[in-house]
Amino acid sequence: MRQHRLSLTVLCAVSWLHVQAQEAGVKVEKNVMVPMHDGVKLATDVYLPAGSSEKLPVVLTRTPYNKDGAKSYGEYFARHGYVFVAQDTRGRYASEGVWHWMTDDGVDGTDCAAWIAAQPWANGKIGMVGTSYVGGTQHAMALAKVPELTTVIPVDAVSNMGRQSMRNAGAFEMRFWNWIMLNAGKGSNAALNPATQVELKEMADHRWDYLSLLPLRPGCTPLKLAPEYEDWLIQAMRHGKDDDFWAQNNILADPKRYKDMPVYLVGGWYDSWAGNTSANFQALSKALKSDVYLIMGPWIHGMQNKSAHGQVEFGAEAAIADQLAWRKEWFDHWMKGLDNSVGKAAPFAKKVRLFVMGTGDGSKTKDGLLNHGGQWRDENEWPLARAKATPFYLHPEGLLSDAKPKVEAAAQSYAFDPKNPVPTLGGNISSGDGIMQQGAWDQRGSDKFWNWTKPIPLSARSDVLVFQTAPLAEDTEVTGEMEVKLWISSSAVDTDFTAKLVDVYPPSADWPHGFDLNLTDGIMRARFRDSLKEEKLMQPGKVYPITIKLYPTSNVFKKGHRIRVDISSSNFPRFDVNPNTGEPLQQHRRTVTATNTVHHDREHPSQIVLPVVERP
């Protein structure tokens, strides 16, 4: 018997919802408390086609963000011949238990699916939807090989957390600090106490101030009022190694653990999980016999229905306007057996669909955005077999060229002061609400950036090394995975090196100063230069090779533009700032200014390796 934990008020509300939903052709059962293996009950909503007695396929979403937000999805799928199930994950909103980051979602998802399979309205087939954390709950169930799971559509999904997007080459992506600051007092167990909720909201409202007070220490901030959130964040910020701590949702470690079923991976060039989305496609395509599809747009996190991201317009075709119809098309094919557009027409014509950015005219739109433009292209694989790995070398006087350096000695040094980090101006960001801007931006200050408010380009900073090509003689397409390979030394035993790929627009009538468009970036914490599984401090003054993995991208650098690489040692608050002291991660009490050096001579050919694709 289903168990309900509803007050009289809620019961009345649910009865009203049933009446209203019946009229709309949908029956809703709210807050069904589904028992898990350990007796904890998770709050679950069920959307059913009104009057149907058939056993139907189920679309499931498991979310920490309040299942009530899935109402439009539930009504849509119920009207189109599915049962839709939305569940609050453990310890969130109406569900019982204690929240943990992802580690309960495989076993809880297994229990949820078994419960669904036992219901009279279910035919035993489950497909899943959801973005970000909610995409991560899909990966968790796939890695648990849930028997009823038939297909998944993970969008911008949490995975491979020790590699990139949470710990990024040893650095910590501060968007998760922001996520905890915002969510510890919203939908949590602590938030059930109104007074505690007020305290946690006050903390969140002052998080800009807390940014300057890092590192976070146990019991020293109001976050102690939400102990499971404080505990996870402190551990996550201190744990740089890619090891068992990050095992949950580590697809790349052993992709054969993933259930063999059709998978549609959705990502964006400016999404925070872009590098893992493309890596998962490569791994799962080899490991699974079933079809694995990939689509990568010019999107920021979760915004596949938009064509403008940050300060840039990519054109109307960049957006997938109907966010439900394309998901239904996928489910109709794999769960109902319909012969439809999957494998035949966009966005499913081929296994890989990419948006190639940069074919716009560079004008200013009526909304004041850069018309960077772009176009969709279907491909047979990722990365592209025809892409040519082309090194562009760093030279003196800030030159970037495909010619190898010939000079005997060349290097540039700069002072990296952790108290004055290079500010984040866009990029592969999510959960940055209030402290960061997502997506594509001119790399100069404005009132949109709290820590770089004046209209000064980042290239003017003395701690940013700029290397750029001469104006290009022809359009140059770069599509694929890319790395920056540097030879570095430092006065510190540990420090960071960052790299950013920039499309430099020349000055024009619409953009008199030009436009320095960020495309992708990355970081390397020096103590992890040899391995993400082992820390090794440096010897001051010694020269080391390091590799900075950038996020993948696809862009046409048009004739007259320049390809630019910016090298520095911070990108804040995208990444936590290295104190340069070599102390245990996020346990330092002091900082030191490091003199960091990039070597670029014949013996030390520092370079960015770009996957260049010949244009038609």
Side-chain angles (χ1 to χ4, degrees):
M1 179 178 292
R2 297 188 182 95
Q3 300 179 51
H4 297 261
R5 186 180 64 180
L6 299 172
S7 66
L8 182 60
T9 303
V10 174
L11 278 170
C12 292
V14 170
S15 298
W16 179 84
L17 281 170
H18 272 254
V19 171
Q20 298 301 102
Q22 292 269 8
E23 293 177 0
V26 179
K27 177 185 177 183
V28 185
E29 297 182 23
K30 295 282 291 181
N31 288 310
V32 180
M33 299 305 292
V34 176
M36 299 290 103
H37 57 284
D38 57 356
V40 168
K41 298 181 180 67
L42 304 188
T44 307
D45 294 346
V46 181
Y47 296 78
L48 299 146
S52 173
S53 59
E54 292 182 73
K55 289 181 176 290
L56 299 171
V58 174
V59 177
L60 170 66
T61 190
R62 303 191 66 256
T63 177
Y65 298 123
N66 193 346
K67 61 183 172 51
D68 294 350
K71 181 174 182 287
S72 62
Y73 273 59
E75 292 177 347
Y76 176 88
F77 281 106
R79 291 194 187 105
H80 288 87
Y82 292 88
V83 177
F84 186 86
V85 176
Q87 186 174 75
D88 286 335
T89 54
R90 180 177 292 249
R92 296 293 296 168
Y93 287 91
S95 283
E96 300 173 353
V98 176
W99 172 86
H100 301 106
W101 180 274
M102 302 297 307
T103 52
D104 294 315
D105 288 301
V107 64
D108 284 352
T110 301
D111 293 343
C112 175
W115 176 83
I116 288 171
Q119 304 310 304
W121 34 257
N123 72 357
K125 293 183 178 181
I126 296 175
M128 293 187 75
V129 293
T131 299
S132 194
Y133 196 121
V134 193
T137 62
Q138 297 180 57
H139 283 324
M141 287 180 63
L143 289 165
K145 291 190 174 178
V146 172
E148 299 81 6
L149 197 58
T150 304
T151 186
V152 290
I153 309 177
V155 178
D156 301 339
V158 173
S159 61
N160 313 317
M161 293 172 283
R163 167 188 179 267
Q164 196 179 45
S165 301
M166 184 171 289
R167 296 300 323 192
N168 194 320
F172 185 73
E173 298 213 0
M174 288 294 293
R175 57 200 181 89
F176 288 102
W177 175 91
N178 203 47
W179 192 95
I180 291 292
M181 295 291 279
L182 290 169
N183 286 282
K186 187 167 58 176
S188 63
N189 288 336
L192 296 174
N193 182 314
T196 302
Q197 185 180 35
V198 169
E199 291 291 326
L200 292 171
K201 182 181 183 303
E202 182 180 67
M203 176 190 70
D205 290 344
H206 287 272
R207 61 193 184 282
W208 294 268
D209 299 313
Y210 283 99
L211 275 173
S212 65
L213 302 176
L214 294 171
L216 179 68
R217 299 185 301 280
C220 295
T221 73
L223 194 56
K224 65 185 178 183
L225 301 174
E228 63 267 38
Y229 294 83
E230 181 191 58
D231 178 65
W232 178 83
L233 181 57
I234 288 173
Q235 288 192 64
M237 294 188 77
R238 292 180 176 183
H239 202 97
K241 296 180 182 179
D242 185 12
D243 58 17
D244 288 346
F245 182 84
W246 304 110
Q248 180 61 52
N249 282 30
N250 188 343
I251 295 168
L252 300 181
D254 185 6
K256 290 182 179 179
R257 292 193 305 128
Y258 208 92
K259 184 171 183 182
D260 196 344
M261 61 182 172
V263 179
Y264 191 24
L265 298 168
V266 181
W269 301 131
Y270 288 99
D271 175 51
S272 53
W273 296 96
N276 282 315
T277 299
S278 66
N280 290 338
F281 174 79
Q282 295 174 66
L284 293 177
S285 294
K286 297 173 184 175
L288 307 186
K289 295 177 181 177
S290 302
D291 288 339
V292 181
Y293 280 64
L294 171 72
I295 183 170
M296 296 291 288
W299 308 310
I300 60 173
H301 193 69
M303 290 295 168
Q304 293 79 32
N305 62 331
K306 304 290 185 183
S307 65
H309 302 283
Q311 202 177 352
V312 174
E313 172 62 56
F314 295 99
E317 289 188 1
I320 302 179
D322 192 330
Q323 289 297 287
L324 294 171
W326 65 268
R327 289 172 165 90
K328 173 183 170 293
E329 188 81 353
W330 180 265
F331 290 139
D332 282 350
H333 184 78
W334 296 112
M335 292 208 289
K336 292 186 176 181
L338 298 186
D339 184 8
N340 57 17
S341 68
V342 175
K344 298 178 179 179
F348 315 105
K350 290 189 177 182
K351 297 285 182 67
V352 176
R353 184 166 174 80
L354 309 175
F355 191 87
V356 184
M357 304 182 291
T359 57
D361 63 10
S363 61
K364 182 178 288 188
T365 70
K366 60 181 177 59
D367 297 321
L369 304 177
L370 172 72
N371 180 24
H372 191 57
Q375 58 193 25
W376 286 105
R377 192 169 70 205
D378 293 328
E379 297 284 355
N380 294 315
E381 76 277 316
W382 178 270
L384 306 186
R386 67 184 185 280
K388 181 181 179 182
T390 306
F392 284 78
Y393 297 94
L394 281 53
H395 290 269
E397 305 301 326
L399 175 64
L400 187 69
S401 167
D402 59 1
K404 290 184 178 180
K406 296 180 180 180
V407 295
E408 291 293 333
Q412 291 190 51
S413 300
Y414 56 92
F416 162 38
D417 180 0
K419 295 179 180 178
N420 181 27
V422 177
T424 299
L425 305 186
N428 297 76
I429 294 161
S430 61
S431 301
D433 312 50
I435 67 168
M436 287 181 280
Q437 296 285 355
Q438 303 177 72
W441 290 84
D442 191 2
Q443 295 298 285
R444 57 193 280 131
S446 77
D447 58 7
K448 299 291 185 181
F449 304 102
W450 64 272
N451 55 345
W452 198 248
T453 58
K454 296 179 180 179
I456 298 172
L458 289 185
S459 57
R461 291 180 60 113
S462 62
D463 56 355
V464 176
L465 304 184
V466 176
F467 299 89
Q468 58 185 353
T469 64
L472 297 172
E474 59 184 6
D475 291 359
T476 302
E477 179 184 329
V478 172
T479 295
E481 310 282 339
M482 57 203 69
E483 296 177 333
V484 175
K485 299 180 179 181
L486 301 178
W487 293 85
I488 60 89
S489 60
S490 176
S491 63
V493 294
D494 185 45
T495 191
D496 291 347
F497 285 88
T498 63
K500 183 184 298 178
L501 179 63
V502 179
D503 184 347
V504 180
Y505 274 74
S508 65
D510 281 344
W511 306 99
H513 62 273
F515 197 106
D516 299 338
L517 171 62
N518 63 303
L519 293 172
T520 177
D521 60 34
I523 192 168
M524 169 55 69
R525 184 144 293 170
R527 68 175 71 188
F528 293 103
R529 65 193 177 278
D530 293 334
S531 169
L532 296 184
K533 297 183 181 297
E534 182 182 1
E535 299 183 42
K536 190 184 298 182
L537 296 179
M538 296 188 297
Q539 179 180 328
K542 183 177 178 179
V543 178
Y544 298 93
I546 67 167
T547 298
I548 302 173
K549 186 172 185 60
L550 306 185
Y551 286 67
T553 196
S554 179
N555 185 70
V556 175
F557 294 81
K558 297 191 80 172
K559 179 181 178 181
H561 290 212
R562 298 174 188 261
I563 300 172
R564 187 174 109 191
V565 180
D566 291 353
I567 307 295
S568 191
S569 291
S570 53
N571 183 353
F572 182 76
R574 173 146 160 60
F575 304 114
D576 65 336
V577 179
N578 196 320
N580 297 330
T581 62
E583 295 169 87
L585 297 176
Q586 287 297 319
Q587 297 176 64
H588 60 279
R589 289 281 187 167
R590 58 192 179 87
T591 65
V592 297
T593 297
T595 299
N596 288 344
T597 302
V598 176
H599 303 263
H600 47 81
D601 51 48
R602 186 170 62 187
E603 298 268 330
H604 308 101
S606 292
Q607 61 194 260
I608 181 171
V609 183
L610 298 178
V612 176
V613 177
E614 186 175 346
R615 297 289 293 167

